[in-house]
Amino acid sequence: MAPTLVTVAGYAWRILILAGFAYGVFAVLGRFHEVAVAVFLGLVVTAMLRPLADLLARRIPRPLAVAGALIGTIVLVLGVLAFVGETVAGEWDTLVTEFKDGLGRIQPWLERPPLRLNAHALGDAQAKIGEYLSTHRSDILSTAVSGAGRLVEVLTIAALALFCSVFFIHSGDRQWRWFCDQLPAGARHRVAVVGRASWRTFTGYTHGIVLVAGTNAILVGVALLVLRVPLAVPLALLEFVAAFIPLIGSPVALAIAAIIALATRGPLIAGVVIALIVVIGQIEGHLLHPLVMSWAVRLHPVIVALSVVAGAIAAGVVGAVVAVPLVSVLWSAGQALRSTAPP
């Protein structure tokens, strides 16, 4: 058999094994997504707050340091959410009025070249939307009620994530050492090395993605405030949350901002917001990610894109969020295994 064919076959079965393992992981995440999300959030909180807790533990007992870091963060997050809710409530009536006026301004623009849309077709579309909303009002209400019923599930996940993060921050290193001690003596060293490399990668990714998301949110918020687009602060918060899905989340959030700008401020401002999508995408892809993420995550953009899409197919939004850090951790674990010799 030709040596080239042997080499290709060797790489092929390794790729198949990795693909099967990744599919199995995402399938498990999708099946037990509540537990997976809670543990993932607990690890994210630990990666963000462990340094703060360690700093506070130099002056106060560690249990108080952990409690102070968590309570302070919860108060900060609730304060931001309350501010956003108050902003939306204060601008809602104005937004509804501007949205209606904007639709009236957009319709003549759509009827002119180059689109030349039929005015009767636009009117029929608006009528059909109103008819659909009135006809399916019960379905919409039932969907809203079922969504409200999921509030218990969300609170359960949040409580479990908080519970996990308390113990991870307080004594996660001791828990990991206990786990390694349960393994056969010959595997303890390698598992310990892989664990340290994986946690270093996950922590670096978490810090980096939060920094990138915060920078994007600030840029978007300032730009929307300058352009006087309504709901600038909530849209900036949406951009912050969406940035946790690489390559996809940020353009989707900015597309929503462009729709609001089109209906409230007109096509010119909407065009500026669309240009903002391109500019922020270039800043994120060519400046922020190389500078902030390269020391923690060394993945090609194609691998990132494939990971996000595969994660979304296997486990929905949860898979899209978890895909890149999971692949990064697996890659760093493999590199650590290759570079580690037995003790």
Side-chain angles (χ1 to χ4, degrees), residues 139-313:
D139 297 336
I140 296 174
L141 290 177
S142 63
T143 302
V145 170
S146 63
R150 293 179 64 87
L151 179 62
V152 176
E153 178 182 342
V154 173
L155 293 177
T156 303
I157 293 174
L160 181 57
L162 181 61
F163 183 78
C164 293
S165 62
V166 169
F167 290 96
F168 291 163
I169 296 173
H170 182 267
S171 56
D173 50 350
R174 292 202 300 269
Q175 296 173 22
W176 178 250
R177 285 197 298 269
W178 175 87
F179 173 77
C180 291
D181 290 340
Q182 311 309 308
L183 300 175
R188 292 175 187 173
H189 176 69
R190 285 182 173 272
V191 173
V193 171
V194 168
R196 287 195 296 269
S198 300
W199 179 246
R200 184 168 57 250
T201 299
F202 183 81
T203 304
Y205 176 84
T206 303
H207 293 171
I209 197 66
V210 169
L211 182 59
V212 170
T215 304
N216 284 359
I218 292 173
L219 293 175
V220 170
V222 171
L224 295 180
L225 286 174
V226 171
L227 296 174
R228 293 185 298 168
V229 176
L231 302 179
V233 175
L235 289 173
L237 180 61
L238 177 63
E239 167 65 23
F240 176 82
V241 175
F244 283 86
I245 303 179
L247 303 179
I248 298 175
S250 183
V252 172
L254 289 175
I256 296 175
I259 293 174
I260 294 178
L262 177 63
T264 58
R265 298 285 292 149
L268 179 60
I269 301 300
V272 175
V273 175
I274 294 174
L276 182 67
I277 298 177
V278 179
V279 172
I280 291 182
Q282 294 299 314
I283 294 175
E284 179 181 351
H286 294 86
L287 180 62
L288 294 179
H289 274 284
L291 290 179
V292 176
M293 305 287 284
S294 60
W295 62 275
V297 180
R298 297 177 178 87
L299 295 178
H300 194 276
V302 174
I303 302 299
V304 174
L306 292 177
S307 301
V308 172
V309 174
I313 293 173

Side-chain angles (χ1 to χ4, degrees), residues 15-35:
I15 293 174
L16 290 175
I17 290 177
L18 290 175
F21 178 77
Y23 179 82
V25 170
F26 285 122
V28 171
L29 289 175
R31 179 64 177 172
F32 302 98
H33 64 278
E34 293 89 353
V35 178

Side-chain angles (χ1 to χ4, degrees), residues 308-331:
V308 172
V309 174
I313 293 173
V317 177
V318 175
V321 174
V322 177
V324 176
L326 177 61
V327 173
S328 302
V329 166
L330 292 177
W331 174 258

Side-chain angles (χ1 to χ4, degrees), residues 108-120:
W109 178 71
L110 294 176
E111 296 172 2
R112 295 195 298 267
L115 298 178
R116 297 183 182 276
L117 296 181
N118 192 333
H120 297 290

